[in-house]
DNA sequence: TTGTATGCGTTATCAA
DNA sequence: TTGATAACGCATACAA
């Protein structure tokens, strides 16, 4: 599998490397018709394919961008990634997607790896635990955009949704329907999205004059969630409605209810903060808070693209409202 | 954002570039403690980060592999991709995922682009329409593995499932339950998977002595599918069971039935050839033919990895049985 | 134990 | 209109 290089083409065509390079970069202006022809033939004959690596080294651009998602099993992440890829495709930039698994160490490793590979920019769903690293990138003027979660004390481009407000409205809606025992189920409150959603919940409950029952706030890792739900449902005051803070919580909840022989909608009203695929196939009336994933991805991509092309403006935070359906 | 290079580190530490290179590649054996120290300090002080690009150019390895999926909205593809990424992660190889959108032109473009970027190998869900290109890669000894679909007349590593057999069994099951009007809904029969599934269907029907009703075979693109279903259900002989050849067909079918006020399981029995996420949340009894996506992905990754490391054996086709649940 | 020289496959500068 | 030549940042054989 010896590769054919520009030098081989040059030799075959009887011209110099630089001429071939000119040709490849379509700088035909000063090029003789016959040389053009000869080079074309040589390329054809040898099956030459340019080496982007060498070009990148020279040009200091790889046409690669990196996406570091916090959790790839989260459907929202894949939707956003897809939108980002679509956007960059039109400019012939490819994306490398890495999964940090909500682990700050992994995140750090990926950031360093991608930068070592000279990707032109980075879109990150931050764990929020590597602020020094984030800061150093921003200071160096390296193109970077944060998605989904806020980074504290750092002036960066961010694309997020109105977690608190959407949750607030959804809970308010439940309260209007007469619910007073509303549980809030969430994974550990380590990232801004979860905290903001809880904030919205608390606000709605308080405003309605309902006393906040701490037992109704279930904070647990997915594997422990069923256990906690178990004890919630075996206590005296049972919830009549549940807020699932994201899709993975929803799945755990769904499995739990199935085991218990309970049904969404009938025994328990549910709102899920997340889009899930195939939701239209579910027959039970579940409320979803949908984040505009595609729009958010596109926006993030656009912001990154501008930075890559040095169209600099001041970092801004873009908040996209979610829809309750 | 001027990058710090090895030369800078060497100058700062008062040694030569090669010594720094040695250090970075952990060839400490003959290195003096004090030099080591000095280099360490210099790297720290300058915030040096190695440039993989230059290294790759030299070593002719990028530690990047490419995955070209036929359709990224197909859940199976994402599962396989994830398994591939997981596998390569342990060897510090990253994957670039590209979406060919079932378009042979796009596929060709991506193959060329990824090879120009010098990725170490390729895993492809082939459209099946670029056989010349596939062949040239194989002939050149370029590491490549095909997944999901067979490539005709080409001796290559492939990882597929037993489409025909699984379908045959599923249809047989329906027949045993008394169904005789079983429809088969599929996207255009352009790829091996769909044709094989149809083959399994026909075989089961024929063996049972049921006359093959061509009206029960619906072949259409997703956008036209509802229309075709419409005419199927307005004809005299209506199906009592339906085979959906993949998840996208299933969605179209689901939407159609919802519009018509019909329900899975009750009005119509359904089997879907594909895993879908959240399937455990569906309450109706739908039969799924599940492909072992993770295992298939891992196998494909393993086969590619071996090729990359020149552990050559003869190309083989690995068939993974699907499970009917 | 460390340094020098050379090359990887391009592009860019300048001269011819 | 084309060609020499020097980078790009690193790795490696060989010399010291």
């Amino acid at each position: 599998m010896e590769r054919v290089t520009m030098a081989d083409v040059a030799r075959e065509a009887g011209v110099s490397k630089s001429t071939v390079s000119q040709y490849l970069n379509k700088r035909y202006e000063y090029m003789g018709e016959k040389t053009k022809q000869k080079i074309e033939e040589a390329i054809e004959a040898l099956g030459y394919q340019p080496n982007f690596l060498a070009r990148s080294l020279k040009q200091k651009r790889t046409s690669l961008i990196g996406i570091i998602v916090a959790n790839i099993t989260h459907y929202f992440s894949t939707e956003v990634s897809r939108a980002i890829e679509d956007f960059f495709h039109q400019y012939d930039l490819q994306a490398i997607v890495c999964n940090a698994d909500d682990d700050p160490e992994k995140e750090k490793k990926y950031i360093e790896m991608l930068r070592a590979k000279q990707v032109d920019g980075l879109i990150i769903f931050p764990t929020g635990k590597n602020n020094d690293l984030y800061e150093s990138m921003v200071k160096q003027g390296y193109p970077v955009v944060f998605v989904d979660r806020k980074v504290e004390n750092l002036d960066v481009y961010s694309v997020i949704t109105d977690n608190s407000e959407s949750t607030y409205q959804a809970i308010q809606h439940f309260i209007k329907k007469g619910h007073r025992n509303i549980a809030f189920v969430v994974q550990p409150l380590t990232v801004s999205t979860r905290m903001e959603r809880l904030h919205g919940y608390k606000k709605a409950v308080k405003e309605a004059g309902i006393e906040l029952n701490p037992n109704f706030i279930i904070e647990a890792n997915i594997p422990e969630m069923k256990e906690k739900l178990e004890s919630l449902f075996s206590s005296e005051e049972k919830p009549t409605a549940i807020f699932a803070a994201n899709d993975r919580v929803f799945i755990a909840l769904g499995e739990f209810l199935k085991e218990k022989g309970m049904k969404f909608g009938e025994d328990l009203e549910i709102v899920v903060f997340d889009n899930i695929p195939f939701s239209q196939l579910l027959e039970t009336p579940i409320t979803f808070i949908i984040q505009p994933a595609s729009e958010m991805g596109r926006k993030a991509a656009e912001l990154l693209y501008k930075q890559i092309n040095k169209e600099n403006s001041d970092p801004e935070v873009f908040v996209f409202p979610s829809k309750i359906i």
Side-chain angles (χ1 to χ4, degrees), chain A residues 179-193:
Chain A
H179 291 283
R180 300 193 61 85
N181 289 355
I182 305 168
F184 182 95
V185 188
V186 65
Q187 287 166 280
L189 294 164
T190 50
V191 292
S192 65
T193 43

Side-chain angles (χ1 to χ4, degrees), chain A residues 129-143:
Chain A
K129 297 285 180 301
N130 280 315
N131 279 41
D132 289 353
L133 187 54
Y134 306 152
E135 196 177 339
S136 79
M137 289 195 286
V138 174
K139 271 198 185 150
Q140 289 171 44
Y142 186 72

Side-chain angles (χ1 to χ4, degrees), chain A residues 129-192:
Chain A
K129 297 285 180 301
N130 280 315
N131 279 41
D132 289 353
L133 187 54
Y134 306 152
E135 196 177 339
S136 79
M137 289 195 286
V138 174
K139 271 198 185 150
Q140 289 171 44
Y142 186 72
V144 54
V145 174
F146 292 92
V147 180
D148 187 40
R149 300 158 175 187
K150 269 188 216 158
V151 177
E152 297 302 324
N153 307 319
L154 205 52
D155 202 23
V156 289
Y157 287 99
S158 300
V159 178
I160 56 174
T161 191
D162 57 346
N163 290 289
S164 177
E165 179 62 23
S166 302
T167 307
Y168 171 72
Q169 287 173 13
I171 300 292
Q172 236 184 8
H173 179 69
F174 271 176
I175 293 173
K176 274 196 197 129
K177 285 176 83 176
H179 291 283
R180 300 193 61 85
N181 289 355
I182 305 168
F184 182 95
V185 188
V186 65
Q187 287 166 280
L189 294 164
T190 50
V191 292
S192 65

Side-chain angles (χ1 to χ4, degrees), chain A residues 20-36:
Chain A
V20 178
S21 176
Q22 307 263 43
Y23 171 85
L24 290 172
N25 291 291
K26 311 208 188 295
R27 307 222 21 97
Y28 298 135
E29 299 151 37
Y30 303 110
M31 198 170 300
E33 254 318 311
K34 58 261 138 98
T35 9
K36 223 160 108 177

Side-chain angles (χ1 to χ4, degrees), chain A residues 31 44 57 119-120 153 160 182 184 188 207 216 249 266 322:
Chain A
M31 198 170 300
E44 187 62 33
L57 178 60
V119 300
D120 294 341
N153 307 319
I160 56 174
I182 305 168
F184 182 95
E207 271 187 17
F216 281 170
V249 170
E266 295 176 20
S322 291

